[in-house]
Amino acid sequence: MSEIAIKADKLTKKFDDFVAVDAITFDVKQGEIFGFVGANGAGKTTAMRILCGLSKPTSGSATVAGFDVYKETEKIKRNIGYMSQKFSLYDDLTVMENITFYAGIYGLSDKEIKDRGESLLSQLGISHEAKTFVASLPLGWKQKLAFSVAVIHEPKIVFLDEPTGGVDPVTRRQFWDLIYEAADRGITVFVTTHYMDEAEYCNRLTVMVDGKIDALDTPTNLKKQFSVDSMDKVFYQLARAAKRSGD
Amino acid sequence: MKQLLAFVRKEFYHVFRDKKTLLMLFGVPIAQIVLFGFTLTNEIKNSRIVVADYAHDYASQEIIRKIEASRYFEVVKSNMSHDQIETAFKTGTIKIAVIFPANFYNDLSHLNKAQIQVIADASDPNTATTLTSYLNNIITDYQAQKAQQTKVPYLITPEVKMLYNPELLGAPNFVPGVMALVLMLICAMMTSISIVKEKEMGTMEILLVSPIRPFLLIISKVIPYLIVSIINLITILVLSVVLLHLEIKGSLLLLFFESTLFIISSLALGLLISVRAESQMAAMMTSQMSLMLPTMLLTGFMFPIENMPLPMQVLSYALPSHYYYVIVKAVMLEGLGFMSIWKETLILAFITTVLVVINLRSFKIRLA
Amino acid sequence: MAAITLDNIVKTYGEKDKKVLAVDRASFSVEEGEMFGLIGPDGAGKTTLFRILTTLLLPDSGTASVAGYDTAKDYTKIRNSVGYMPGRFSLYQDLTVEENLQFFATIFNTTIEENYHLIKDIYVQIEPFKDRRAGKLSGGMKQKLALCCALIHKPTVLFLDEPTTGVDVVSRVEFWDMLKRLKAQGITILVSTPYMDEAVLCDRIALIQNGKILSVDTPENTVRKYPTKLYAARSDDMHRLLKEIRSYPDIASCFTFGESMHFTFRSDDPHNIEKLKAKLNKAPHEYLEIKEIQPGIEDYFIQISEPAHE
């Protein structure tokens, strides 16, 4: 469990004179559920894009699954899974076609695709929906399916960008059950969220404000550190402090 | 009134704060006129022409000298046979051939009529038509000259197509077409995009919920683009005069009146598109496919309408740009007055009215 | 008199063979001067309801009135008397803060000065940025500007569709403070949110899911309807604890809830908790803590919506 899955050192990304990610340093252990918390525009998505190999940092260094984010982006992409709230599955393909497509991208054999696809569907309890167009699935099912598809190739790390935005409370919890199971299998989970109660489910988390990391610890320790009883209040204190200094 | 002013001011903010829109609105017309005026004219220079002279007499020599003097042709003298000429066509080395039969001058002076055979490579009909009409012009010229000298009337008077373009310049014909194209583009595409943008951004929801009347909303969307279009019209005219040395022969006032009518019809078309389209991309595609392409291809400024298949001709007569093109040509190039174009004006006015009425009826006061 | 009433509103989308029921026989009413919350996840039908009430959509059947006017017939009157803030940021991004406000004031036939007292508290916070383009504002400031624009014509009823979604916690708290002050001025407010913790800030709330109104009541009464005792448990290994509690036969429901997990039993057996603890201690957890707790809105929401998902 002590192996490092993600390591970032003074990672910085600038757009012209705007510093989206400001010298963040942290590491994520293998099998850990690591939360990246912050309001919209705090820099979460930019940081995640760098770690996924989609965007080059301006300065600093980082490795993902042991690969360098400057030079080895292709290797990074082969070892990660990615899911975002905005885009995940093709609405105009059926459930099984989506699975086949994504598994195919990662080079799974036909037999593997068939086996894993079927077990995935039965695990989600939607085997009878294999030939349904994704567009007609309820939002909650879509999200769960999208997550399962994102880890179908058993990646070392899965990145989840605001995966549960707007999902109903029941589905959100079922979704987290899936995340726990993936972590149990040794998959490192890197998740961004602005739901503070969700932050509590993470093993460790950082709070990102104005591109900087202001705190990094377990939810329990963070609450102790700020002497409050909920993550909401931790975040409130951090964000207020930042607002006074900035803008 | 205050609402209208506030709205129009807001529209101008949108226009002037987006460099892409600005470029589209003012750069495109200039680019179009320069592009069409200089490069895409149907003027064809230095085409290789085979002259087979079996007459070798005074008249044929004189005509050949005229052909040689023309900057449109590069003469290749060779008494090729029909078969040889055909081969030359097939290899594509020549575009047109002219054959003077033996006894050309004899026929001409004694029978008062003679034949010249002109063979053109019609695989490119535009070039062929143009080249034949150049040649026709030269021959007519010669005939006219002869007629003056000898006072003997000639029987054959080949039809001259470029009657109002005596110098045989290509550019003038394009200016009315470019005007139709640019005004259509600006009015229809930009209006539809600006309305659809409000839908995409969600501001349309707020506008609909506000007490602002739909009529006012439409008018205030239209006015800025009407103003921009008139500025563009002036730009095109100035460019045509200064850059393409074109003379505006008819009444400027009439030209502006007719243009405004056409602009309104185009704005109405843009509004119609915006009612249907859900995204800016869709609005752009629709205006391009359904308005710009037909304007370019079917109004007659690139391809002659007479040569089109019947359905296309019918479609051409349904386009407002068709009538506008005819009107501008008449007023600007031929210097004709309102009396010669009242029919076209009436049709254009009718189409515009129909479009405006459809718009007022189909404007949605709700989202769906 | 009720400021808003809905009676059996039904709305479907889509083609004949693939109709989606967006709102399913929704009925409730909002009193004048009340702050009423519409609580539910994405796709529950909140936005559709807002659009019907703001006269942007016509319902398939049922009737609705706002400020005493029928939403279908008297739409022009409603449009004169309501303020509406749609779910996504719906102002002109390329116009400055001041230009946006000026524009909306003019199209509502008023001036900024005339109703400045209404927006003063909110506007002073964004006034330092009045020459900045709206698109360049932070999330919280955008919401404040949008609220100013929705208030500028002194509406009697204010519709706010998810005003705090995606906004940082500080701005959310500030936003709800502003709403309280507006309510004090007598404005009726219908506000929707996917955040259950914001529900308690409303006078009354309607829980909505899959187009159906599940419950309408005050937040206090809503949680009082929770039918059984609710327990919270936590330990150092939450995932193992979750699995173990779920595998216990008498458990009716068990789900993660922030730092702990909430669960209920099938029966009211007073010894339930001792039996469970005994079982859990077979493989001891460190820092195991189990206690009975007061249910919250989210607990109630899960409780009434769960059957539809199983």
Side-chain angles (χ1 to χ4, degrees), chain C residues 130-141:
Chain C
K130 68 182 162 84
D131 294 324
R132 195 183 283 193
R133 305 255 169 108
K136 296 233 156 91
L137 294 176
S138 72
M141 286 205 276

Side-chain angles (χ1 to χ4, degrees), chain B residues 312-331:
Chain B
M312 291 292 177
Q313 287 196 27
V314 172
L315 194 61
S316 161
Y317 285 104
L319 287 175
S321 41
H322 168 90
Y323 300 98
Y324 181 63
Y325 175 66
V326 172
I327 290 170
V328 173
K329 248 171 64 173
V331 176

Side-chain angles (χ1 to χ4, degrees), chain C residues 167-279:
Chain C
V167 176
D168 65 277
V169 182
V170 182
S171 301
R172 269 169 63 187
V173 172
E174 284 174 5
F175 199 87
W176 279 95
D177 283 344
M178 288 184 273
L179 293 191
K180 255 183 236 161
R181 283 200 290 275
L182 289 174
K183 180 187 128 64
Q185 303 206 35
I187 298 176
T188 308
I189 302 172
L190 180 66
V191 56
S192 72
T193 177
Y195 302 106
M196 304 281 160
D197 54 341
E198 290 181 343
V200 290
L201 302 166
C202 303
D203 296 329
R204 282 195 305 146
I205 51 168
L207 301 184
I208 179 170
Q209 188 168 32
N210 300 325
K212 280 199 184 71
I213 305 285
L214 304 175
S215 139
V216 180
D217 218 325
T218 62
E220 300 77 34
N221 285 341
T222 304
V223 295
R224 238 171 258 151
K225 289 188 210 162
Y226 202 81
T228 54
K229 282 184 178 169
L230 183 70
Y231 297 92
R234 57 182 300 188
S235 82
D236 64 323
D237 190 348
M238 292 293 280
H239 192 215
R240 180 160 72 92
L241 185 65
L242 186 71
K243 278 198 242 175
E244 285 177 7
I245 294 181
R246 278 188 184 162
S247 62
Y248 188 72
D250 269 347
I251 292 292
S253 73
C254 174
F255 42 84
T256 47
F257 210 108
E259 58 180 357
S260 56
M261 59 194 60
H262 292 183
F263 61 91
T264 56
F265 291 101
R266 284 181 204 283
S267 62
D268 278 338
D269 183 350
H271 303 295
N272 269 336
I273 207 77
E274 273 75 44
K275 285 183 195 161
L276 178 69
K277 272 184 185 164
K279 196 197 166 206

Side-chain angles (χ1 to χ4, degrees), chain A:
Chain A
M1 283 294 274
S2 62
E3 204 182 311
I4 300 295
I6 304 172
K7 188 169 183 59
D9 189 21
K10 295 198 183 71
L11 199 62
T12 302
K13 177 79 183 183
K14 288 181 191 164
F15 297 104
D16 296 326
D17 54 348
F18 175 70
V19 186
V21 176
D22 195 356
I24 57 172
T25 301
F26 63 89
D27 51 52
V28 181
K29 296 188 205 83
Q30 201 204 318
E32 192 173 30
I33 301 174
F34 190 84
F36 226 58
V37 182
N40 286 357
K44 292 177 307 211
T45 304
T46 311
M48 188 180 255
R49 285 205 180 125
I50 296 172
L51 297 176
C52 290
L54 299 174
S55 158
K56 274 210 167 28
T58 313
S59 63
S61 66
T63 58
V64 175
F67 300 113
D68 185 74
V69 292
Y70 286 94
K71 293 179 218 128
E72 299 172 299
T73 52
E74 289 314 309
K75 283 181 188 155
I76 290 176
K77 286 177 192 169
R78 233 170 285 154
N79 284 286
I80 61 169
Y82 177 79
M83 174 204 163
S84 102
Q85 179 202 347
K86 287 170 208 97
F87 169 76
S88 35
L89 300 171
Y90 292 97
D91 269 351
D92 53 351
L93 297 186
T94 66
V95 170
M96 200 58 204
E97 282 164 355
N98 265 294
I99 294 174
T100 311
F101 172 72
Y102 279 103
I105 288 180
Y106 288 102
L108 266 61
S109 70
D110 288 351
K111 194 180 156 6
E112 277 174 316
I113 293 174
K114 194 171 170 291
D115 292 349
R116 288 193 198 178
E118 276 167 10
S119 76
L120 180 160
L121 290 179
S122 72
Q123 195 197 347
L124 293 176
I126 53 171
S127 300
H128 54 289
E129 303 279 5
K131 285 184 181 136
T132 311
F133 284 108
V134 165
S136 53
L137 289 181
L139 181 68
W141 285 11
K142 268 190 222 175
Q143 298 292 92
K144 285 186 276 179
L145 180 63
F147 176 77
S148 305
V149 169
V151 295
I152 195 163
H153 57 295
E154 291 293 316
K156 291 197 174 117
I157 303 157
V158 63
F159 288 91
L160 309 174
D161 192 7
E162 301 273 348
T164 60
V167 177
D168 68 87
V170 178
T171 309
R172 240 166 75 204
R173 289 178 169 82
Q174 292 169 344
F175 192 87
W176 273 91
D177 288 348
L178 290 174
I179 293 181
Y180 277 132
E181 274 159 32
D184 272 0
R185 293 203 299 272
I187 297 178
T188 307
V189 181
F190 186 98
V191 56
T192 69
T193 180
H194 63 259
Y195 283 95
M196 291 303 145
D197 60 332
E198 264 185 12
E200 310 252 14
Y201 308 154
C202 302
N203 299 126
R204 282 193 313 147
L205 61 105
T206 72
V207 179
M208 200 163 180
V209 178
D210 295 343
K212 293 192 189 71
I213 284 182
D214 278 5
L216 196 168
D217 215 324
T218 63
T220 317
N221 287 347
L222 280 177
K223 280 181 278 182
K224 258 184 223 155
Q225 188 186 329
F226 288 88
S227 337
V228 289
D229 59 359
S230 76
M231 276 312 296
D232 229 24
K233 288 175 185 155
V234 171
F235 186 67
Y236 186 77
Q237 288 199 3
L238 284 169
R240 267 182 69 124
K243 276 213 160 173
R244 281 200 201 110
S245 60
D247 236 1

